[in-house]
Amino acid sequence: MFKRWQLALLVILLSIVMAACSSDDESSANQEDGDITLEYWQYSFDSKVSLMDELIAEFEEANPGIKVKQTNFPYDQYNEQVAAQVPAGRGPDVINLFYGWVPTYVDAGYLQPLPQDAFPHEDIESEFFPLVEATKMDGEYWTIPTAVRTLALFYNKDLFEEAGLDPNSPPETWEELEDYAVQLTKADGNGRLEQSGMAWEPAQQGHHWLRDGLTLQASGQVLSEDRKEVVWANDPAGLEAFKYWLSFPSELGTSEQGFYTDDVTAFVTEKAAMNIDGSFRVGTLQNDAPDLNYAIAPLPGKDGLSTNASFWTNGITARVEGEKLEAATKFLEFLTSDDVMERWLDATGELPAKESVAMQDKYVNDEIYGPFIESLPFANAHFFVDETRERDLVIDAANRVLMEGQDPEEAFNQLVEATQKLYDEYWEE
Amino acid sequence: MEQFKSPQNQNNKTNLAKKKKTSLLHKFRGNLKYQKYLFVYTCLLLPIIFYLGIRILPTLFTFNVGFRDWNLLSTDIQPFVGIENYVTLFQDEIFIKSIFNTLIYIILGVSGQLLFGIIVALLLHKINRFVGFFRVIYFIPYVTSIVAISWVFQWILMGNGIINDVLVNLGFPAQPFLNSPDQAIYVIIAAMIWQSIGFQMVLFLAGLENIPEMLYEAADIDGATGWQKFWHVTVPLLNPTIVFSAVIGTITFIQVSFTQVINMSMDGSGGPLNSTLSVVVYIYQLAFKQFDMGLASAATVILFLFILALTIFQMKVLTKKFDY
């Protein structure tokens, strides 16, 4: 006979295995009391998560019968986590995505278009900044943001003064930017950079600056109207912007890739005097470098002004329907209300996506946020079919010139050709 | 040695086991001893179920996914596309590059690891004082977080980092290291070797302890030089350890080349210009950045066949039997 404890152990072990193998019915338990539970996913960003907790509590109070559950994943694992949950048949009802990922998600059939009765196209187009059109595809809006971000020039006032420059008149043109960068650069006797006049990191914001900033400033275009063709090289402005962009780490010698590991670290540690970065960095700077004496200015322009905008945006997943869809729509309406947008700016530093909210005097005249908001009317959000790969192509093109001595024109044409290939692949499906 | 038994032996053993099994069922009733065995076998079976569910079945499933056009985010049916994924991969310059890089990682990394492991073990084997101290020193990198080490290396190696300071002071030009498509991969391999010396050292020390002292004494009597003793006594008798280290080293090298590459390459994804991209990093990018599970699975299958072939090759070529 088995000893009793052996039998008991066996039963316990077997039941653990059984439990591990059986599917769990957690999701159905939620609806027992007649409440609708919405799963809301966004990435872990402390200020956003805590603000969202507050907003959810208010929303639940105003809409009895609807519960919202927030789940967060770290930014760099976000797509993997989403991807991992799909085959398991689980996942969010309302999801917060980076706008550059949206085409991939739409292509995979993961999202449904925003319901037009709650979000009529005319309203979106008249109220929101035109850059939200970056997620309009096949004649539908698939997502809607609460807030947007723009790129601007961050500069270190102390280092400006040290170099004999006026900290209250930041560079406004391409020539001035070059000139300032050179004056702010220090190198040792062996030509090694000690202080970079201009942080330069294509893997960070650098590729955005090239596409939505420099190219448009030189009155070029990256994409055709219908977003199917990469027209970057059709106009000499594209190459001009590419060469200007590359001049910082090459001819001008003001910059170096990986200088103090990355642009943000270099700027925070006062090793880089200027950097191009987004409004989302303000919070980091305030936390990590409270004593850093810096200011912000709109991006220097050439023929015209332009900057890059980007945003995290909310969509409803494909399988949500019926009452749940109504609840999800209500939640989205709440998230895009004027009041939430104002609170979003205060809590996270991201700019209101609606023009009437953003362009209020109190924001435009703000010392920190003013330059970002000022930039909104001429901001552009590039339509990505694949953000990661388009970014990598720009990085590779830059590295071929800087590290392998390839002719910039050749590298640029290769970049355009390879990017076109991505668009062809995307649209042929 | 023990772990490399001839196939005939194993066949005999399974036959024996079968005979035992039939008689085992027969004798089960009323026999306390066999009931005990049943309990033990049931307990041993549980990890196998776990192993089947977590490892074997997903592995087999990968073969299936590799033949399909499988978008990770899509909830539709995933169409069967035959060998299209494999064709795409072998036409993909980046994939070819990643295989080539992986070979460099393995060849240089594993041989470097073995070489330095043996050297450190031999040195430590000779000393009598501070043995524990040195062992700890050499073993510490192995138990340190790879991510932390990678970032420290980044700082040490950057344009105005400490190593370039030394180089410049000695009159050499500053080197780009991780920023150079020609140097980055070797820098990463060096960091990986440095980190794994401790593990190899432990294996080789254990191997060295097992070599009977009398063989060296006999060699001394025959008038062997130090080099001859090393080459004709130590190396042959360390052979099983070397084979084991090489196989394990290869497999772990393929695996850890992921963490190191992600954290040390300048753009965090195998750059510059894909010069440090390994197959595992590329598989990860295909699956979780481009959501193409079909391509990623096909690449995984290729990697699997690659490791299998390499392991068989290593066992066949490196394993030799020495009797003294």
Side-chain angles (χ1 to χ4, degrees), chain A residues 65-308:
Chain A
I66 304 179
K67 292 261 171 293
V68 183
K69 188 172 162 259
Q70 180 179 207
T71 308
N72 309 104
F73 299 109
Y75 168 75
D76 43 0
Q77 291 167 19
Y78 197 73
N79 280 322
E80 293 151 58
Q81 291 293 348
V82 174
Q85 304 281 348
V86 172
R90 291 205 202 162
D93 304 308
V94 178
I95 185 165
N96 187 251
L97 292 170
F98 185 66
Y99 88 97
W101 302 338
V102 172
T104 316
Y105 277 75
V106 170
D107 192 36
Y110 190 76
L111 296 174
Q112 58 177 296
L114 296 179
Q116 289 215 24
D117 43 342
F119 295 96
H121 289 188
E122 315 81 71
D123 288 8
I124 295 182
E125 273 149 32
S126 63
E127 288 174 6
F128 285 77
F129 284 105
L131 52 95
V132 301
E133 273 186 53
T135 66
K136 186 183 184 186
M137 272 173 293
D138 309 327
E140 294 280 4
Y141 280 95
W142 297 82
T143 62
I144 192 82
T146 303
V148 297
R149 306 98 56 91
T150 54
L151 294 188
L153 181 75
F154 287 64
Y155 62 95
N156 187 312
K157 286 172 144 182
D158 292 345
L159 296 181
F160 261 54
E161 266 178 38
E162 200 186 294
L165 297 165
D166 178 7
N168 294 317
S169 65
E172 284 173 5
T173 62
W174 281 20
E175 291 76 36
E176 276 177 26
L177 183 67
E178 279 179 345
D179 191 37
Y180 276 57
V182 171
Q183 292 192 47
L184 288 161
T185 300
K186 286 185 207 158
D188 69 4
N190 298 294
R192 281 198 301 157
L193 213 53
E194 281 177 338
Q195 177 181 308
S196 167
M198 176 81 202
W200 193 87
E201 210 66 54
Q204 300 282 333
Q205 308 306 321
H207 67 114
H208 294 300
W209 180 36
L210 172 65
R211 255 189 244 101
D212 291 320
L214 297 172
T215 305
L216 297 181
Q217 287 161 10
S219 38
Q221 274 302 332
V222 176
L223 276 187
S224 63
E225 236 5 82
D226 63 0
R227 295 165 174 173
K228 290 191 174 152
E229 232 182 296
V230 182
V231 297
W232 214 348
N234 294 7
D235 187 309
L239 181 61
E240 194 189 352
F242 185 66
K243 280 185 177 164
Y244 176 77
W245 184 59
L246 285 175
S247 68
F248 290 92
S250 52
E251 293 109 60
L252 298 176
T254 60
S255 320
E256 193 181 284
Q257 241 183 117
F259 185 68
Y260 283 87
T261 68
D262 60 84
D263 57 339
V264 183
T265 315
F267 188 74
V268 167
T269 52
E270 305 201 291
K271 295 290 178 192
M274 295 190 280
N275 188 25
I276 291 191
D277 214 335
S279 36
F280 42 85
R281 197 70 64 204
V282 171
T284 319
L285 292 185
Q286 280 165 351
N287 286 335
D288 296 356
D291 300 328
L292 192 68
N293 186 16
Y294 70 97
I296 295 158
L299 288 191
K302 190 172 175 279
D303 304 343
L305 291 172
S306 177
T307 189
N308 162 267

Side-chain angles (χ1 to χ4, degrees), chain A residues 1-2 5-7 9-10 13-14 17 76 79-80 82-84 86-87 104-105 107-110 190 192-194 203 256-261 265 319 386 388-389 391-392 395-396 399-400 403-404, chain B residues 28 32 35-36 38-39 42-43 46 49 70-76 94 151 154-155 158-161 164-165 168 174 178-182 266-267 269 271-274 284-285 287-291:
Chain A
M1 281 293 288
F2 280 108
W5 69 268
Q6 286 180 331
L7 202 72
L9 185 65
L10 198 69
L13 284 174
L14 278 175
V17 174
D76 43 0
N79 280 322
E80 293 151 58
V82 174
V86 172
T104 316
Y105 277 75
D107 192 36
Y110 190 76
N190 298 294
R192 281 198 301 157
L193 213 53
E194 281 177 338
E256 193 181 284
Q257 241 183 117
F259 185 68
Y260 283 87
T261 68
T265 315
R319 274 191 267 178
D386 188 331
T388 326
R389 281 160 90 186
R391 184 192 77 142
D392 288 350
I395 298 173
D396 284 356
N399 286 342
R400 281 198 304 271
M403 294 172 184
E404 294 184 335
Chain B
F28 175 69
L32 187 69
Q35 281 177 0
K36 250 186 193 163
L38 182 73
F39 174 75
T42 320
C43 288
L46 285 172
I49 296 172
W70 192 294
N71 185 315
L72 192 48
L73 294 175
S74 168
T75 42
D76 300 338
I94 303 180
W151 282 87
Q154 259 193 24
W155 277 85
M158 70 186 183
N160 34 12
N164 270 326
D165 279 345
V168 167
L178 289 166
N179 281 354
S180 152
D182 303 321
M266 61 181 297
D267 56 359
S269 58
L273 296 173
N274 297 319
Y284 166 81
Q285 286 177 2
F288 298 111
K289 300 274 174 203
Q290 299 175 25
F291 307 119

